[in-house]
Amino acid sequence: MEVFYLYLLCLFTLFTSLALHFIFYKRNSGSLTGTLPPGKTGWPFIGESFEFLSTGWKGHPEKFVFDRMTKYSSSVFKTHLLGEKAAVFCGPTCNKFLFSNENKLVQAWWPDSVNKVFPSSTQTSSKEEAIKMRKMLPNFFKPEALQRYVGIMDHIAQRHFASSWENKNQIEVFPLAKRYTFWLACRLFVSVEDPNHVAKFADPFNVLASGLISIPIDLPGTPFNRAIKASNLIRKELLLIIKQRKVDLAEGKASPTQDILSHMLLTSDENGKYMHELDIADKILGLLIGGHDTASSACTFILKYLAELPEIYEGVYKEQMEIAMSKSPGELLNWDDIQKMKYSWNVACEVLRLASPLQGAFREAINDFIFNGFYIPKGWKLYWSANSTHKNPEYFPEPQKFDPSRFEGSGPAPYTFVPFGGGPRMCPGKEYARLEILVFMHHLVKRFKWEKVIPNEKIVVDPMPIPAKGLPVRLYPHKA
């Protein structure tokens, strides 16, 4: 009899446990009853990383996304990228969802390759690092600060074109565009203006950029290994600059507000702690990459398309010459001049659509959630793709046609044109990039016409689009 009662007690306990589990599971999981997005995960560890990267190397980064959108008839598909389970989000609805749920359902995430190149960034979460940086940057990218930058940009652009373009019959555009944007970033972020000093950074920065988003295999000769070595070289140079700046600030030889570096050195957190020198070096390193690499790609493709489309060139030339003719000899460009460059900026936007430097970006799910009926588990990595809208005829009719008029009036539909991302994590340097691109266009068309040396030069994406041979062009200076 006792055995019978014990048996009943066990059954009751089991039933109660199952009932409680069911109740709490349903309460905690809410409506999370969807299935995982369709797709495949590819090979172990590598996943579909090779296909993801190789379509860019072949010049068609959108192919990875559009092939899978077609195959799975979905705006969301699963894959495995850079060692992580991932879902790729495609289209304006997906963009809106990810951008508007920042730090609610998703947060910024960088591949392991980035964390190893920037080792101090692993000491705190990417969310905390992003919050820190976004508290610091607005002072340097707000309108009154940007207005001060126009004259500096104009001055450096004049020096750049005089030293690297004028009196040349033929030049290679991409390295020179990088030199221009990097010079500006060095001047405005760390007050380094001497061309020889800037040149010390240039080569390792190129190596770093090409290996930053790569399969994190740390073996000699791999892009990832070269990127780590390059970052260490740059970091050492930045630490020398930081140490000297601390001395200069203490002796009154440097201004507390002259650049981002001074601000970082003099700003403490809520606990009164100041950033470590190595942490500052990493953040400056990241800013220098973000402050010049994407803009140099855009400037390069502006030359490409203006060479191919003489009617577009004439429109830009007319607008820029009206501004040039309104200036006194030696007078620098100002904020009002930039506001007059409406057609030029429409042209630049169409370049950013067709050859977006930012192909997309990663997020991480910080909670389980359902989107479009698909279950996204916590911890999955999410990738949004700029090309899923930029080159989609549903949002940009005849997507391969170069048409600046798309940006007239109210412009493209919301969340379809996303070269700078969107939401709380929209690139804080968007207006900075607009200035450096427009100042570049002004000096370019004011001085030259040009033609491509290689008519059908291949485009590769690694990780940004660049012409395979650097876009060599023949220059034809305007007659005085």
Side-chain angles (χ1 to χ4, degrees):
M1 199 70 173
E2 289 180 6
V3 173
F4 177 72
Y5 283 124
L6 182 62
Y7 176 70
L8 284 179
L9 180 62
C10 289
L11 280 179
F12 177 77
T13 302
L14 178 63
F15 176 79
T16 304
S17 299
L18 287 173
L20 288 171
H21 172 78
F22 179 77
I23 291 168
F24 282 105
Y25 176 80
K26 292 296 287 183
R27 182 177 296 171
N28 290 333
S29 63
S31 59
L32 300 188
T33 57
T35 57
L36 292 173
K40 63 177 183 177
T41 54
W43 296 93
F45 179 69
I46 294 175
E48 294 192 295
S49 299
F50 183 75
E51 295 97 318
F52 177 70
L53 295 170
S54 66
T55 54
W57 300 334
K58 294 172 184 176
H60 304 286
E62 68 276 10
K63 181 174 169 52
F64 179 87
V65 172
F66 283 124
D67 282 356
R68 285 155 181 77
M69 287 175 69
T70 301
K71 183 175 182 179
Y72 303 118
S73 300
S74 172
S75 57
V76 184
F77 61 85
K78 71 180 177 184
T79 181
H80 195 281
L81 298 176
L82 307 178
E84 300 282 351
K85 292 179 180 178
V88 178
F89 279 53
C90 310
T93 303
C94 290
N95 291 341
K96 181 179 180 180
F97 177 83
L98 289 181
F99 297 160
S100 61
N101 279 288
E102 190 74 35
N103 299 327
K104 300 173 188 173
L105 296 176
V106 302
Q107 66 181 12
W109 178 82
W110 296 102
D112 197 40
S113 57
V114 176
N115 288 330
K116 287 181 179 177
V117 170
F118 297 96
S120 71
S121 68
T122 61
Q123 295 172 4
T124 55
S125 73
S126 57
K127 177 180 176 181
E128 291 170 334
E129 291 298 315
I131 291 170
K132 282 183 188 177
M133 285 303 295
R134 285 174 185 277
K135 285 181 179 178
M136 289 183 177
L137 293 179
N139 287 334
F140 297 93
F141 293 134
K142 58 187 179 183
E144 50 266 43
L146 290 170
Q147 291 181 36
R148 295 198 306 269
Y149 298 162
V150 177
I152 297 171
M153 289 179 173
D154 191 21
H155 172 68
I156 289 178
Q158 289 181 34
R159 293 177 63 185
H160 169 74
F161 277 94
S163 63
S164 302
W165 296 65
E166 291 177 359
N167 302 314
K168 303 278 197 313
N169 295 321
Q170 183 173 314
I171 54 97
E172 196 175 312
V173 174
F174 185 59
L176 294 188
K178 286 179 75 70
R179 188 179 301 175
Y180 160 74
T181 58
F182 191 53
W183 193 352
L184 284 180
C186 286
R187 167 62 183 83
L188 291 168
F189 296 167
V190 293
S191 297
V192 171
E193 188 170 344
D194 175 54
N196 294 324
H197 198 175
V198 172
K200 282 183 70 175
F201 288 106
D203 288 340
F205 254 99
N206 294 339
V207 174
L208 171 58
S210 64
L212 195 56
I213 305 295
S214 62
I215 298 173
I217 300 174
D218 191 5
L219 293 174
T222 63
F224 179 59
N225 178 266
R226 292 197 298 268
I228 290 176
K229 290 180 178 178
S231 73
N232 290 335
L233 284 174
I234 300 165
R235 196 177 284 106
K236 286 179 182 178
E237 187 65 27
L238 285 172
L239 284 171
L240 292 175
I241 293 172
I242 291 166
K243 290 179 186 299
Q244 184 59 50
R245 177 62 62 82
K246 290 174 87 170
V247 172
D248 291 344
L249 285 167
E251 296 177 352
K253 296 177 181 177
S255 164
T257 59
Q258 72 184 53
D259 55 28
I260 289 177
L261 174 55
S262 283
H263 186 69
M264 286 184 175
L265 283 168
L266 297 171
T267 303
S268 62
D269 64 16
E270 60 275 9
N271 299 316
K273 292 183 178 180
Y274 292 88
M275 273 196 285
H276 189 275
E277 289 179 1
L278 187 58
D279 201 22
I280 292 175
D282 267 349
K283 286 178 172 54
I284 293 290
L285 184 55
L287 284 171
L288 287 171
I289 292 172
H292 92 281
D293 236 21
T294 53
S296 59
S297 174
C299 289
T300 300
F301 278 89
I302 284 168
L303 268 98
K304 174 188 182 297
Y305 285 110
L306 292 185
E308 296 170 353
L309 302 164
E311 70 281 6
I312 303 295
Y313 173 92
E314 288 301 324
V316 174
Y317 177 74
K318 179 183 176 184
E319 181 175 79
Q320 295 296 343
M321 286 309 295
E322 286 178 0
I323 294 168
M325 295 298 288
S326 71
K327 310 298 288 183
S328 304
E331 183 183 357
L332 295 173
L333 291 171
N334 57 43
W335 184 255
D336 290 339
D337 298 322
I338 297 293
Q339 306 317 307
K340 295 173 185 175
M341 301 180 185
K342 291 184 170 59
Y343 180 75
S344 297
W345 184 238
N346 287 348
V347 169
C349 286
E350 184 68 339
V351 169
L352 291 169
R353 182 187 70 82
L354 284 166
S356 182
L358 181 69
Q359 297 292 299
F362 286 97
R363 299 288 189 269
E364 180 179 32
I366 54 179
N367 288 298
D368 296 348
F369 64 85
I370 297 288
F371 178 75
N372 276 9
F374 296 120
Y375 170 60
I376 306 297
K378 178 182 177 179
W380 269 39
K381 307 309 178 277
L382 314 170
Y383 181 80
W384 62 267
S385 164
N387 285 320
S388 72
T389 54
H390 287 189
K391 296 185 178 179
N392 192 325
E394 184 177 348
Y395 312 114
F396 293 96
E398 296 183 84
Q400 295 304 322
K401 180 182 178 182
F402 194 97
D403 182 8
S405 70
R406 302 179 197 272
F407 298 91
E408 293 174 356
S410 58
Y415 300 101
T416 59
F417 180 62
V418 288
F420 299 100
R425 287 194 58 79
M426 177 178 282
C427 175
K430 174 184 175 182
E431 282 300 302
Y432 171 89
R434 184 174 79 97
L435 295 187
E436 63 182 333
I437 290 169
L438 288 173
V439 170
F440 179 85
M441 292 176 75
H442 176 80
H443 284 278
L444 175 70
V445 300
K446 187 172 75 169
R447 286 170 166 79
F448 306 107
K449 273 195 169 184
W450 58 91
E451 66 179 6
K452 297 195 300 182
V453 173
I454 307 171
N456 298 309
E457 185 175 358
K458 181 184 175 183
I459 304 302
V460 296
V461 179
D462 186 27
M464 289 173 296
I466 55 172
K469 302 295 183 182
L471 191 64
V473 299
R474 295 185 188 90
L475 297 174
Y476 301 100
H478 292 302
K479 293 178 182 178

